[in-house]
């Protein structure tokens, strides 16, 4: 099976069987919209000290934006804030690579299923879709920190 088609399967699986979907109790909530295509997400983050206890969301949009939110949930829940920021930075670097960054074992270890979005980085209009939930998480985290909801 070609790598691109395997990555497409990962994205479709997360789209059809989303992880973290359904708003639950949280310390901070944000709503983001991609004005280019109309994708939107409402995301809540819950902290237990410095640990991300939960990321929940509701949204609508393309398979890329919704699958990316599911992958974000898998990657960040249970992680310490500093580790989650490193994961977010690695995903951002991949998305901004314009298809020049080839996923390797080290990247796969950090990003897990998120490496499936490597092909998306070749399409600037789709990068915003993939980053929608990640920017929402970053803003929700900043909000929680400013309100003293994390240790």
């Amino acid at each position: 099976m070609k790598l691109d088609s395997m990555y497409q399967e990962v994205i479709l699986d997360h789209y059809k069987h989303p992880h973290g979907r359904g708003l639950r109790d949280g310390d901070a909530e944000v709503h983001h919209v991609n004005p280019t295509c109309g994708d939107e997400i409402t995301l809540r983050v819950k902290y237990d000290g410095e640990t991300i206890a939960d990321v929940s969301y509701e949204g609508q949009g393309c398979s890329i934006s919704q699958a990316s939110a599911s992958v974000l949930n898998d990657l960040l829940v249970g992680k310490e804030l500093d580790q989650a920021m490193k994961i977010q930075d690695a995903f951002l670097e991949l998305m901004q690579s314009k298809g020049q960054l080839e996923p390797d074992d080290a990247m796969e270890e950090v990003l897990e299923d998120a490496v499936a979005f490597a092909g998306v980085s070749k399409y600037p209009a789709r990068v915003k879709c993939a980053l929608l939930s990640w920017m929402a998480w970053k803003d929700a985290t900043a909000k929680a920190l400013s309100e003293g909801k994390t240790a």
Side-chain angles (χ1 to χ4, degrees):
M1 179 182 262
K2 270 184 65 185
L3 197 56
D4 284 345
S5 62
M6 186 175 80
Y7 284 166
Q8 287 173 350
E9 287 297 318
V10 168
I11 292 171
L12 284 175
D13 186 53
H14 275 278
Y15 177 66
K16 292 176 183 174
H17 309 285
H19 306 163
R21 189 174 199 72
L23 290 173
R24 294 177 293 280
D25 184 37
D27 295 322
E29 175 180 303
V30 296
H31 181 78
H32 279 214
V33 176
N34 180 350
T36 308
C37 63
D39 289 358
E40 60 182 271
I41 189 165
T42 300
L43 183 139
R44 287 183 186 158
V45 65
K46 175 95 175 144
Y47 281 89
D48 181 7
E50 287 284 315
T51 303
I52 300 168
D54 192 26
V55 176
S56 62
Y57 66 93
E58 276 299 333
Q60 59 185 23
C62 69
S63 59
I64 292 170
S65 71
Q66 299 305 296
S68 186
S70 176
V71 168
L72 177 145
N73 173 277
D74 283 357
L75 282 173
L76 301 188
V77 171
K79 300 287 192 305
E80 296 290 317
L81 180 56
D82 61 339
Q83 186 181 10
M85 293 297 249
K86 288 176 185 167
I87 293 167
Q88 194 264 345
D89 288 344
F91 188 70
L92 184 61
E93 180 183 7
L94 177 65
M95 289 295 92
Q96 292 176 336
S97 75
K98 298 181 177 158
Q100 301 303 305
L101 205 56
E102 286 294 321
D104 58 14
D105 289 344
M107 185 184 294
E108 261 190 60
E109 191 172 315
V110 173
L111 292 177
E112 300 174 17
D113 278 357
V115 298
F117 294 89
V120 172
S121 70
K122 298 174 190 170
Y123 307 99
R126 306 306 290 184
V127 167
K128 287 183 180 180
C129 300
L131 288 175
L132 184 65
S133 59
W134 294 83
M135 296 301 106
W137 172 78
K138 192 173 180 181
D139 285 352
T141 293
K143 190 175 179 181
L145 288 168
S146 74
E147 294 173 1
K149 303 285 178 132
T150 65

